[in-house]
Every structure is written in structure tokens, then in C-alpha cells.
Amino acid sequence: MKRRNIFRSYNAVLGLVFLVFLAFGVSSVIVMIRSDGFVPIGEILDRQQTDAILFNSPLSSPYNHKITLHKKRAAKIVAIGSSRSMQFREKAFSESFTNLGGVISDIGYSELFIHKMIKEHKPEIIIWAVDYQDFFEAPRPGRPWRIEDDHNIFAPLGLAGNGVFEWKSYWKLLLNGEVIENFPIKLMGLSAKVEGNGFDEDGSMYYFGTSYDSLGEGGIVYTDSREKLYQSILETTIQGDRINTPRPWALESFKSIIDYAESENVIIIPVLVPSAPMVMEIMDEGPETFRLGLDQLREQLPRLSPYFADFVDPREYGSDECEFLDGYHGGEVTYLRIVLGLSDMPGSPLKPYVRRDLIKRLIKEYENEVQITEGEIGSQFKNARRIQFSPTCGDI
Amino acid sequence: MLFNSLEFLLIFLPVTFFGFLMAVRHSRVLGLGWLVCASLFFYGWWNPVYVWLIIGSMVVNYCLGWALCRQRSVYVLSAGVGLNLATLGYYKYIGLFSETLNQLADAQMGFQDVVLPLAISFFTFQQISYLVDAYNGKVDVSHWVEYALFVTFFPQLIAGPIVRHSEIMPQFLKGRLGPREKDIAIGVSVFAVGLFKKVVIADTLATYASPIFGVAAKGVEITFLDSWGGVLAYSLQIYFDFSGYSDMAIGLGRLFGFRLPINFFSPYKSLNIIEFWRRWHITLSRFLKEYLYYPLGGNQGGHTRQFASIMIVMLLGGLWHGAGWGFLLWGGMHGVFIVVNHAWQNLVRTMGWQPGRWLGLWHVLSFSLTFLCITVAWVLFRADNLDAAMNIYRGMAGLDGRFVLPATYENLLSPIVSSLGLTFVRFDAIMYFEGMRQVGYLAAILFVALILPNTQEWMSRWRACLEPIPIPRGTFTRMLLWRPSMVHLLVVVTILFVAASQMFEPTEFLYFQF
């Protein structure tokens, strides 16, 4: 009898533990519902055609989103790459354009993605935003994206548990259905709701959540201090855990992507994307190893591709610190400068498709700014116009 | 659906459990039927189409078993075994066969895209054993619901243990079906330990192992430290992955009031390869021994025949794990190890050698050699292809002529390394090895595997699995053994919380692919 009571108490505690787990599980389902996690991606993209909506997938893993968008829009020009490609926008082009950026973060992944993307729809031109850091890392094995996660009802719990976003946001979403109150644009998808940043209908990213929050609470601004940037460069060069010459596997992968696109009759333009002027200055002033790998890369890549554009140093084309979101992400104006530069290249295949006059006007009007506050989305954030992300903006 | 996923733990398991409790109150068959339905749902979660395959397989084997129980017929048995092997062969090996043929004969044979149904190796072997036992008069005709549950019971369906009909059927037929309070407490406790092993230990080890095998497959040259770090990590990863799965299967079985046979019993504590195979995937070894090794002659026909039988069994055992030359070679390598082991034992017996006062040292050497052999063989098992395996072996042997160590160790080890004719290269050539942090972690995990009592020993006073487990000796060890006390409850709850905090991105069990 006594032993039976022991087991009963033991199981009662286990039951209570289970109820705690269950409560968390149920809360995750509610958060998933409240963040549009069950709305099919096709439906969201359709709604974006008519309404001003910023969307970022429930799991911030935009593979499924971008492939669906690619099939749906079947654009003539596409941009691909990491988060450093997401500021290329449709308005810069006179032909159909889709931004498929944000999915890949490694040369090996780029190879996988380009194969999949061309299989779904063959564009005429691919603008491939290339991160120079990727050439100095060991290859990452495995599959970079997890499509099945989009349907995982426990994903919100997982993201909060893994520290991808704060528990405070989780509870706000659970209780109120919104994290940022009175946001001027409709937000869909967990990541968009939590951060206030999201993809527009052309697949490009808007960071007005950052501006909006800084307007409201003065919270999020350009976080990369000179010291932090110095440290990050230190860690990514020979002093840290990486090598200072481009890895052969990465160069081979790069070449294989170029050859594949060529075999598919697709023009691919690799673009070495920029780091902020402050980063370039630190690299110039620091030890020789800071620039060694980058300089080698700038020399080697043009030999591997018929088209190649080097926009790594924004000082060379007049983009200053104030036009950067952070040390490694240029803002809208920087990317307009890049598009203009791409069309100016001798024999540029993009030239007929670039809206040069519009770009020139926007650059003139929004020079030294991060974001353009006109158009369907931008005009909702007029107050954010003079937001400067960099603490050193204006001093350089 | 994975045992370590939230949808399993928070939805499937509670619904199945409480549904079973309610159903079994009405009738035994209803309770068992409920478990069959839940198990088929569990199986279909992966790909619903293949539910028809497992149902078809069950129907055919049930009918053949019924016929064999009625009348012993070698033709019926041959047809049944042949049909099972043909199905397994088609789904598992046709791709490899056609690919090899295409390469050798420059042919254009299709079949490379045939998808391997989940768990087919397990439920096929289980049913073959049923047919053979029926032929030998060891089983009686059972109700079709009981038979269906024998095949599909979800705790053992995907990756074993490979259960015998005679082991589980008496439990289905017992008077009072359903778990007692003791079963729930024991079942959850064992499951919790298995979950912890999988999500906290094995998945962490995977972060050390996977990159090495991944880049090896891409043809990237692997350094000495990277390769050893990755291979040792994989050796421990597969240990804790399979050990964790086996614990979870036994725990889940017990939660429903059934005892499943033990499948994993501290194999790395083995002092030779023969012992290893008595402790690793015990039910598979048992199947191969009884249904293949003995019919081939076993140890009854002299050494030559015995060694030939061992090689055949181990090659087929390797191939059972997967359709690939790597698996075949892995099986072959273990076959050679076992043959050498037998030959050595024969020699020791003949010569009358005794370790005497060197027994301790002898055990250390035996353990080290066994562990080294097992670990080296895992490379073939894990590598994506033979080129990748050779790439890793080259790195492990330092055959690229470089002895890569972090610069911090250079001064310390330089004289030794130089005397061996090797040279240091820069730290930047090391891609993944994390130095003392990784060494410390692997050593700590190895300590857990070698020194602490295993889960079944931990539960030995309460026998979680089918077989009685001897209670370990030693006062300290005995103090650790599970009992239904608040201290152990606290331990179980703690490991549940730690495991839960790590399981937001569930990963597959390594044995799910077989």
C-alpha cells in the first residue's frame, strides 16, 4: 500500500511537469495562429499585391517564401545572396525584378540555391551579391534551409527558447497579438511581427521596424562601434579563427556557379557587396592581415567570371557611413548607387533595364540617408526620414 | 514523427496513452486495436503512402504464419522468407544495384529514385523471425489485432528492438492489460534518460562530428586533429543516439505496460569485438545468429566453416544497415575483427596463456584496442561515400605529410613531432577542432559511457526491460540505482527540463535511416 502511494505521488509530480510542458505547447500554437503561421504563403503573396504588407516568414527562414515568390513573379531579373542583397528593389529596374536575397549565407549554399531557383524559373539576369567573408570560412555541410519548419506549430516556442527573440515579445504576441503597437504598416509572419521589419511584394527587405522603434523609444540604432568592428575584423582574419587567403573550395564553388549559369544561358553578375566606410578604414589602418585576404579576392574573382562588379569599398563610389544600416549592411541608397554602377559597367547587360533617371533623383534627394521615405511602404515612415544609424555618421 | 519532437511528446503520446487507458477498460482487443491505429498513424506521419506497404506486409505474413501454424511446410516458409527478402531487396537495394550496373556496364537502368520506406528493415526481419518460429512450432496462431500490434507497436517499430513473437505475445494476452502506476513511473523515468542522451549528449556530439564528415564528402582535405576529433565525436554520438533511442523505446513500451527486450548494454565497455556484438544492437545480433549463423553451420563445422559463416553474417549484417559499399565494408571489417578475435582466443586457449598479475593492464589494452577498432570502422559506416571515408582515413593517418596542431602546442610538442619526421603547419589549416574544450567534452562523455551504470543497470531493481538485469556491484554504484524516491524524481524532472530546453529543433535518430 505504501509503495503504491509512493508511485502515485511520483506520477502526480510527473503529471504536473507534463502539464507545464503542455501549457507551453498550447501557447506556441496560439502564437503561431496570431502571427499568421497557418496562412499559406501563396495567399500572403497575393495579399501583398493589393495591400501594403510587410511579411517575414514565421521562422525567419525565407527559402519557401522566396522560391514561391520566384515562381509566382517569374521575373526577368533576380537578385540573390545573403541579407546583404536584400536592399535591391524593383523600382530601380524597368523590367520585372524579384529579390530572392536572405536565403543563402555561404558559397556552397549559393550553389544549391541557384540550381533550385533556375529549375523553378529561368531568369534572364541574376545579380549575385557575394560576401567576401564567405571565401575564408570552412564549408558548412548539410542542408541550409528547413522547409518543414514552416509548418511546425512549436516553432515560436523553439525560437524563443533558442533566444532568437525575447520571451517578452513571445508573451506580448500571445496576449495582444502584436509586439509593436500602432505600427503604420500591416505586419504578417512571426519575424515581421516581432521585429517590425519585413519583405515587400518584390522580395526586398524594409527595416522600418528599426527606425520606428528608435523613433519611439530610441532603442535600436547602428550598434557597431569602432571597437566592436575592430574586434570582429580581428576575429575574422589570421589573428582569429580564419585564414587570410581565399579557400580553394570556395573559389571552385564560385567558378562552378558561373559555369552552371552559363550552361543554362543565364547571365550572372557576381557583385562583391560593400562593408561600411568605417570597416574599410579599420582594415586600412589595422595590421596588413586585415586586408590581405580581401585584396587577394578582389584580384582573383574577376578572372573567374565574365561579368564581375566590385563594390566592396563604398568610399570608391560616394556612399558614406550614414547610408549604412550597420557595418556590413548598406541601406537603400547604397544599393541604388550599386545598381547605377552596374549599368555603367562597359558592356553591362543590365544597362537597358535600369531606371537611371529615377535612381539619380533618389540618390540626390536621399544622399547620406539609410532609407527612402517615398512609395507605398516608405511614405508611411516620413518621420523616419532623417534617421541615422551610425553613431559616427556625419563625422566621417 | 520523432520521439524527441514536441508534437510527439505533447500531442501524439498523451492522446495515445489516455486513449489506450480508456479503450482497454472496454476490452482488451479494443485497447490493442487502438494502439495499432495509433502506431499506423505514427508510421504514416513520415509518408502516408507507405502505411499500405506495412499493412500489406502484415496481411501476407499473418496469412503465411497462420498456414505454417496449421501445417509445417518448407515451401510456405521459403515463399514467405523469399517474399519478405524480395520486398526488402527491392526497396533497399535496387537503387544500389542499378547504379552499380549502370556504372559497370554503361547501362541506363532506372530505380535510383526508389524511396526506402521507414523501418522496412526492422519490420521485415521481425516478420521473418515470426515465420521461422511458426515453422518450428514455437508460436501459435494469434488474433490478427495482436499480430498487427506485434509488428507495428510504435516504440519499437522504427528502429527496434527486433522483437520475437514469443516475447511480446504473452504480454498482449495477459489477464489485466494496461499500465500500473509502477509501469508509468518506470516508463517515464527510462524515457527521460533516453531523451536526455539523445538531445543533450548525442546532438551536441553531432556538432563536432557532422562538419568533418560533411566536408570530407566535398573532397576537402581533412587535417589530423580535425579527423580524429570528428571520428571520436561520431563514435560517441552514435553510441548515445542509439542508446538514447533504445532507452526511449523500452520506456515507452513500459509506459503502456509492456516490457521490450534489451537492445543496448554498454557496448563500449567490451573487452573484445565478440563481446561488443553481444552488447550492441542485441536483438539484431540475436536474429543474425539464430536465423543466419546457425543455419550456415555456426561453430559446428570446424574453424574454416565458422570463419566463413562469420564473414557472411557480418557482410550481410553490414548491408542490412544500408545499401552502400561503405556499409558492406563496415560489416566486412567487423567480420575480420571477429574472426581475428576467435583465432586469438583459440591461440590463447591452446597455449594456455594467463594474464596473471597483469590482468588490469591486460583489460586496459583489450578495451583500448577494441574501442579503437570500433571507432576506426565507424568511418565507413558514417561517411557519405568511400572517397569521403578514405579522405578521413588519410587525415587520421596523417598521410598528407602534415601534422596539424594549434600553434600553442607547437613549442611543447615540436621535438617529438620533428623526431617522427613530421612538420607543423599553421593553426589556420585546422577547420573545426576546438582544442582542449573538445577534448574535455569527449573525455567527459567517454567517462559517462564507461564508468557509470547504464540505464538498465540503473533500473535493475525494478527491471524496466524484458530480461532481468544483474544488480551492479559496488556501494557507490548501488547508491545511484533508481528507486521511486523524491531524490530520483528530482533527478528525472531535472533531466526532463534540461532535455526540453534543448529539443526545439529535433534531429533524427541515426538508426532511423535503416
Side-chain angles (χ1 to χ4, degrees):
Chain A
M1 187 65 197
K2 194 182 165 196
R3 180 172 286 171
R4 193 175 168 184
N5 286 340
I6 291 172
F7 280 117
R8 190 162 288 175
S9 310
Y10 194 98
N11 291 340
V13 176
L14 290 176
L16 281 175
V17 170
F18 172 73
L19 286 178
V20 172
F21 290 153
L22 190 64
F24 272 97
V26 171
S27 74
S28 183
V29 177
I30 296 170
V31 169
M32 193 73 170
I33 294 168
R34 294 200 149 192
S35 59
D36 315 304
F38 297 116
V39 182
I41 185 73
E43 193 183 317
I44 292 172
L45 297 179
D46 284 343
R47 285 180 62 182
Q48 281 192 307
Q49 303 297 312
T50 50
D51 304 327
I53 296 169
L54 290 180
F55 165 71
N56 201 355
S57 67
L59 302 164
S60 207
S61 59
Y63 171 77
N64 199 24
H65 165 206
K66 290 296 174 88
I67 286 289
T68 312
L69 187 71
H70 179 54
K71 277 194 282 189
K72 217 176 183 65
R73 289 171 66 90
K76 210 167 195 174
I77 308 163
V78 301
I80 62 164
S82 66
S83 59
R84 296 170 80 181
S85 65
M86 299 191 308
Q87 295 296 300
F88 287 116
R89 298 205 200 284
E90 188 178 28
K91 63 182 161 209
F93 302 95
S94 57
E95 278 293 342
S96 55
F97 168 84
T98 307
N99 190 318
L100 303 179
V103 180
I104 49 185
S105 56
D106 172 279
I107 301 290
Y109 293 174
S110 304
E111 200 168 352
L112 277 175
F113 183 72
I114 286 173
H115 280 252
K116 282 179 183 290
M117 186 259 281
I118 287 181
K119 208 175 268 179
E120 297 297 345
H121 161 71
K122 199 185 283 189
E124 193 176 297
I125 302 173
I126 299 172
I127 302 170
W128 176 21
V130 179
D131 291 9
Y132 75 84
Q133 288 97 328
D134 293 347
F135 288 86
F136 305 99
E137 289 180 344
R140 291 173 223 177
R143 192 174 45 131
W145 40 76
R146 298 169 58 91
I147 306 165
E148 66 272 21
D149 281 355
D150 286 347
H151 309 294
N152 183 353
I153 54 174
F154 300 112
L157 192 60
L159 291 172
N162 285 338
V164 175
F165 63 86
E166 291 179 354
W167 280 106
K168 194 172 75 179
S169 300
Y170 184 89
W171 301 125
K172 271 186 169 179
L173 209 45
L174 178 71
L175 300 172
N176 307 330
E178 297 293 344
V179 178
I180 310 169
E181 285 163 21
N182 305 318
F183 199 72
I185 295 280
K186 182 166 176 53
L187 298 166
M188 291 186 81
L190 183 63
S191 297
K193 279 180 178 281
V194 168
E195 295 165 359
N197 303 324
F199 294 102
D200 192 13
E201 58 180 307
D202 66 350
S204 69
M205 172 66 99
Y206 278 99
Y207 289 102
F208 281 117
T210 312
S211 313
Y212 187 78
D213 192 46
S214 66
L215 280 175
E217 298 172 12
I220 306 165
V221 285
Y222 188 112
T223 51
D224 297 335
S225 66
R226 186 172 279 270
E227 292 70 31
K228 269 190 182 175
L229 286 172
Y230 187 91
Q231 194 58 37
S232 86
I233 296 166
L234 188 68
E235 282 166 7
T236 55
T237 58
I238 184 66
Q239 285 86 354
D241 57 1
R242 296 192 203 183
I243 57 169
N244 64 356
T245 50
R247 286 193 188 269
W249 81 266
L251 292 170
E252 277 166 27
S253 249
F254 178 87
K255 183 74 177 91
S256 140
I257 290 169
I258 304 296
D259 292 345
Y260 172 68
E262 210 165 52
S263 72
E264 291 286 333
N265 292 320
V266 176
I267 296 170
I268 186 162
I269 310 174
V271 179
L272 214 47
V273 285
S275 299
M278 188 155 66
V279 173
M280 301 312 297
E281 278 182 11
I282 294 168
M283 290 177 92
D284 289 343
E285 292 162 8
E288 187 189 83
T289 50
F290 273 20
R291 277 204 71 123
L292 192 63
L294 176 60
D295 289 341
Q296 284 182 14
L297 195 67
R298 295 178 88 179
E299 200 183 299
Q300 289 176 30
L301 289 187
R303 294 203 290 265
L304 301 176
S305 171
Y307 299 101
F308 179 75
D310 182 350
F311 287 96
V312 78
D313 191 342
R315 298 170 302 181
E316 293 170 1
Y317 49 97
S319 184
D320 79 3
E321 193 66 20
C322 306
E323 291 181 6
F324 274 74
L325 287 153
D326 63 24
Y328 297 98
H329 293 87
E332 279 192 86
V333 183
T334 305
Y335 278 79
L336 285 177
R337 290 181 192 278
I338 292 173
V339 174
L340 199 61
L342 287 173
S343 78
D344 285 340
M345 286 190 330
S348 169
L350 267 180
K351 192 163 194 170
Y353 307 134
V354 171
R355 300 170 73 184
R356 298 175 60 85
D357 293 341
L358 175 74
I359 293 176
K360 281 178 180 169
R361 176 183 75 75
L362 290 172
I363 290 174
K364 194 174 173 192
E365 200 165 321
Y366 291 90
E367 190 170 19
N368 305 338
E369 289 183 36
V370 177
Q371 301 178 118
I372 289 170
T373 50
E374 57 184 76
E376 193 181 23
I377 304 285
S379 61
Q380 303 296 317
F381 297 89
K382 283 285 182 202
N383 292 339
R385 176 151 185 197
R386 292 290 164 191
I387 287 296
Q388 294 169 334
F389 280 69
S390 170
T392 57
C393 174
D395 298 341
I396 294 172
Chain B
M1 200 181 301
L2 301 166
F3 290 169
N4 52 328
S5 67
L6 289 169
E7 59 262 31
F8 176 83
L9 291 173
L10 296 182
I11 301 172
F12 177 82
L13 187 57
V15 169
T16 305
F17 179 72
F18 289 111
F20 176 62
L21 289 187
M22 283 193 288
V24 86
R25 272 187 186 177
H26 286 86
S27 80
R28 194 178 56 84
V29 172
L30 192 64
L32 297 178
W34 167 258
L35 283 184
V36 171
C37 293
S39 298
L40 288 174
F41 177 84
F42 174 83
Y43 186 76
W45 185 261
W46 165 70
N47 189 340
V49 171
Y50 289 99
V51 170
W52 296 111
L53 177 74
I54 195 170
I55 290 175
S57 171
M58 279 191 303
V59 170
V60 170
N61 281 292
Y62 179 72
C63 293
L64 291 169
W66 183 86
L68 284 167
C69 287
R70 289 268 179 278
Q71 189 176 359
R72 202 168 184 260
S73 161
V74 75
Y75 298 111
V76 175
L77 176 66
S78 305
V81 173
L83 202 61
N84 277 296
L85 291 178
T87 310
L88 184 64
Y90 172 75
Y91 282 108
K92 197 157 183 171
Y93 304 109
I94 193 80
L96 176 72
F97 177 73
S98 61
E99 196 183 312
T100 309
L101 199 71
N102 290 348
Q103 280 175 2
L104 292 177
D106 200 20
Q108 293 294 319
M109 200 173 163
F111 299 115
Q112 283 92 338
D113 297 328
V114 173
V115 176
L116 177 68
L118 196 64
I120 189 169
S121 307
F122 287 92
F123 68 71
T124 302
F125 268 32
Q126 193 151 311
Q127 295 189 100
I128 289 174
S129 84
Y130 167 71
L131 293 179
V132 176
D133 288 352
Y135 175 80
N136 289 330
K138 291 179 181 171
V139 299
D140 293 326
V141 175
S142 49
H143 192 282
W144 65 269
V145 174
E146 291 154 5
Y147 180 79
L149 188 59
F150 154 67
V151 177
T152 62
F153 188 37
F154 72 90
Q156 47 97 64
L157 173 61
I158 307 295
I162 299 168
V163 181
R164 276 184 183 149
H165 191 266
S166 57
E167 288 172 332
I168 199 79
M169 208 48 70
Q171 299 185 58
F172 293 165
L173 295 171
K174 70 183 176 188
R176 184 188 178 279
L177 208 60
R180 296 161 195 269
E181 285 171 341
K182 181 174 76 172
D183 295 324
I184 297 169
I186 293 171
V188 173
S189 302
V190 173
F191 180 85
V193 174
L195 186 67
F196 183 87
K197 284 181 184 173
K198 166 64 180 162
V199 302
V200 179
I201 302 178
D203 287 354
T204 306
L205 288 163
T207 63
Y208 293 117
S210 300
I212 300 302
F213 285 93
V215 296
K218 287 185 176 178
V220 177
E221 200 171 68
I222 312 291
T223 66
F224 178 81
L225 277 182
D226 277 329
S227 51
W228 274 104
V231 171
L232 283 169
Y234 180 71
S235 187
L236 291 169
Q237 181 201 349
I238 193 168
Y239 179 97
F240 279 95
D241 195 279
F242 195 38
S243 169
Y245 173 83
S246 300
D247 288 348
M248 288 158 94
I250 286 173
L252 287 169
R254 191 63 193 267
L255 181 64
F256 287 85
F258 304 115
R259 284 193 171 108
L260 296 179
I262 190 168
N263 208 23
F264 196 91
F265 197 76
S266 298
Y268 285 177
K269 288 178 184 171
S270 307
L271 296 179
N272 57 58
I273 291 285
I274 298 170
E275 187 186 354
F276 170 79
W277 279 103
R278 286 187 192 129
R279 290 166 172 263
W280 180 278
H281 209 167
I282 296 165
T283 56
L284 175 69
S285 299
R286 181 180 71 184
F287 180 95
L288 292 173
K289 190 168 76 180
E290 293 186 6
Y291 301 107
L292 192 58
Y293 179 66
Y294 288 159
L296 284 170
N299 53 4
Q300 301 302 311
H303 291 321
T304 311
R305 184 158 180 189
Q306 183 194 8
F307 294 165
S309 302
I310 289 169
M311 286 308 297
I312 291 169
V313 168
M314 293 313 293
L315 284 168
L316 290 176
L319 211 51
W320 175 86
H321 284 85
W325 297 112
F327 289 112
L328 189 73
L329 287 176
W330 172 77
M333 198 182 255
H334 270 276
V336 170
F337 292 157
I338 295 173
V339 166
V340 170
N341 197 168
H342 275 294
W344 172 253
Q345 285 182 344
N346 292 339
L347 183 69
V348 168
R349 247 194 317 270
T350 311
M351 304 300 285
W353 290 337
Q354 294 291 334
R357 63 195 174 98
W358 299 103
L359 187 65
L361 178 66
W362 183 245
H363 281 178
V364 171
L365 285 173
S366 302
F367 157 76
S368 304
L369 183 63
T370 306
F371 182 68
L372 183 71
C373 289
I374 293 162
T375 299
V376 168
W378 281 135
V379 175
L380 286 166
F381 190 88
R382 170 63 178 81
D384 290 6
N385 50 53
L386 291 183
D387 288 340
M390 289 316 295
N391 193 358
I392 291 181
Y393 281 138
R394 272 196 301 275
M396 291 167 81
L399 286 184
D400 57 353
R402 303 181 306 161
F403 190 74
V404 183
L405 276 178
T408 41
Y409 304 144
E410 189 165 351
N411 291 338
L412 185 70
L413 296 173
S414 185
I416 305 166
V417 174
S418 303
S419 69
L420 292 172
L422 297 165
T423 53
F424 276 95
V425 300
R426 298 179 69 101
F427 177 45
D428 58 29
I430 298 173
M431 289 188 287
Y432 300 101
F433 184 71
E434 293 183 5
M436 289 316 290
R437 187 174 144 200
Q438 184 169 344
V439 171
Y441 186 74
L442 294 181
I445 297 302
L446 196 57
F447 175 84
V448 172
L450 297 179
I451 306 298
L452 295 183
N454 63 47
T455 313
Q456 301 314 321
E457 286 174 327
W458 184 58
M459 275 287 165
S460 53
R461 286 199 172 116
W462 297 87
R463 192 158 72 92
C465 56
L466 191 62
E467 302 86 350
I469 304 294
I471 295 172
R473 281 177 285 180
T475 316
F476 177 71
T477 309
R478 287 189 177 207
M479 273 170 58
L480 297 175
L481 302 187
W482 186 87
R483 60 181 73 89
S485 67
M486 283 303 132
V487 175
H488 285 88
L489 178 62
L490 193 66
V491 171
V492 169
V493 169
T494 306
I495 60 174
L496 270 176
F497 271 104
V498 173
S501 69
Q502 303 277 309
M503 56 185 290
F504 294 120
E505 284 181 26
T507 55
E508 272 190 10
F509 291 92
L510 297 175
Y511 261 71
F512 270 30
Q513 59 186 299
F514 311 132

